[in-house]
Amino acid sequence: MDIQLASHKIGMQFKVLVVEDNLEISRNIAEYFESQGLILDFAYDGRQGVDLALQHYYDCIILDIMLPELDGLAVCEILRAKANRHIPIIMLTARDALDDKLVGFNTGADDYLTKPFALEELFVRCLALAKRHLLNCEKTLQLGDISLNAQTQQVERAGQQISLQPIPLKILQLLMEHHPRPLSRSELSDKIWGDEPTDSDALRSHVYQLRKAIDKPFEKALIKTIHSVGLALDIA
């Protein structure tokens, strides 16, 4: 299996946040990673990196230590304290002393790469971190009377098995993973289709299919629309 194919095995879209104030390094990462089919967002200071990481879903974060506003160590500490999921983080730094690496790991970094580095190595490490994280995650999501096994793609509500097509299944998984935070329709589209967005009618159709499968056969509807915000699960 080549590297590009391996990236698509991890998820429908593999999305990376690069927090790096050196524009040349960011540009080089962008050119290589995007050529491999990945989707990237960029932050150029620590505070912007925290905001993006807490607002959006990323499979991996590439985090420089020396940053304006907040350094990478502070960013990592904040994300470990506030994020509602473990986001794999690989730190970049010009420091190569063991003590510096230990400090990075102690703040919650998953991996560490010293500058200068090969783009191919950074890419493979990002994929490995994301894949390892998924393998270590709890395979079954359970909220109230609904459960979803991400490995077998089996959904049950109140003991009743429910069959879902891939896109409605992905919508349900995203809503469960982010509960109780609502997801906007644009955010759902971004997580499902990435940089190849579809029209709003397609998303509306998939949401309708999901409601028909997990809401209509039961007394209480789980999917609620929050006006001007998006969709969320109504779990008592």
Side-chain angles (χ1 to χ4, degrees):
M1 180 186 300
D2 63 30
I3 292 175
Q4 187 168 358
L5 286 176
S7 71
H8 295 295
K9 292 291 184 179
I10 294 176
M12 298 184 71
Q13 293 289 339
F14 188 93
K15 194 166 185 179
V16 177
L17 173 64
V18 180
V19 189
E20 168 63 73
D21 64 327
N22 186 305
L23 296 181
E24 183 178 357
I25 292 176
S26 293
R27 186 162 46 246
N28 290 338
I29 292 173
E31 289 178 357
Y32 186 81
F33 277 44
E34 288 174 353
S35 73
Q36 299 295 321
L38 274 63
I39 300 167
L40 280 76
D41 281 346
F42 294 89
Y44 301 102
D45 64 61
R47 199 168 301 281
Q48 184 186 25
V50 168
D51 291 342
L52 285 173
L54 293 179
Q55 292 171 12
H56 304 283
Y57 186 101
Y58 296 102
D59 296 283
C60 186
I61 296 176
I62 298 172
L63 176 63
D64 187 29
I65 285 187
M66 301 300 293
L67 292 166
E69 300 291 336
L70 294 171
D71 67 23
L73 299 175
V75 170
C76 192
E77 287 183 323
I78 292 171
L79 295 183
R80 292 296 178 246
K82 294 188 175 182
N84 61 4
R85 54 181 284 268
H86 181 89
I87 314 168
I89 295 175
I90 180 167
M91 280 193 167
L92 302 180
T93 181
R95 304 170 179 171
D96 59 1
L98 177 60
D99 286 347
D100 291 328
K101 293 183 179 181
L102 292 177
V103 170
F105 286 127
N106 287 337
T107 59
D110 298 279
D111 200 358
Y112 201 106
L113 196 57
T114 303
K115 299 177 181 178
F117 53 84
L119 290 168
E120 294 88 344
E121 181 179 4
L122 177 61
F123 179 75
V124 170
R125 287 193 183 209
C126 285
L127 292 186
L129 279 181
K131 185 175 181 180
R132 186 190 318 151
H133 173 64
L134 287 181
L135 290 174
N136 290 336
C137 283
E138 183 65 43
K139 292 184 175 63
T140 300
L141 298 171
Q142 178 79 50
L143 286 174
D145 65 352
I146 190 164
S147 66
L148 184 156
N149 186 303
Q151 186 176 40
T152 64
Q153 299 188 339
Q154 181 175 339
V155 176
E156 288 188 3
R157 183 174 181 191
Q160 180 177 327
Q161 190 166 335
I162 299 170
S163 177
L164 291 175
Q165 294 297 315
I167 299 300
L169 179 71
K170 183 65 176 178
I171 294 171
L172 176 61
Q173 182 176 347
L174 289 168
L175 292 174
M176 293 182 75
E177 287 176 344
H178 288 80
H179 176 77
R181 182 172 78 84
L183 293 177
S184 69
R185 294 180 183 274
S186 62
E187 192 172 4
L188 282 169
S189 293
D190 180 61
K191 292 177 187 300
I192 295 168
W193 290 288
D195 59 354
E196 298 178 356
T198 186
D199 58 67
S200 59
D201 286 340
L203 179 62
R204 189 178 298 112
S205 175
H206 290 303
V207 171
Y208 172 78
Q209 292 175 31
L210 179 60
R211 291 183 191 273
K212 185 177 179 181
I214 71 168
D215 281 351
K216 289 192 175 180
F218 300 91
E219 283 189 22
K220 178 185 176 182
L222 291 183
I223 301 175
K224 63 178 179 180
T225 299
I226 303 174
H227 183 63
S228 299
V229 178
L231 300 176
L233 292 179
D234 185 10
I235 306 292

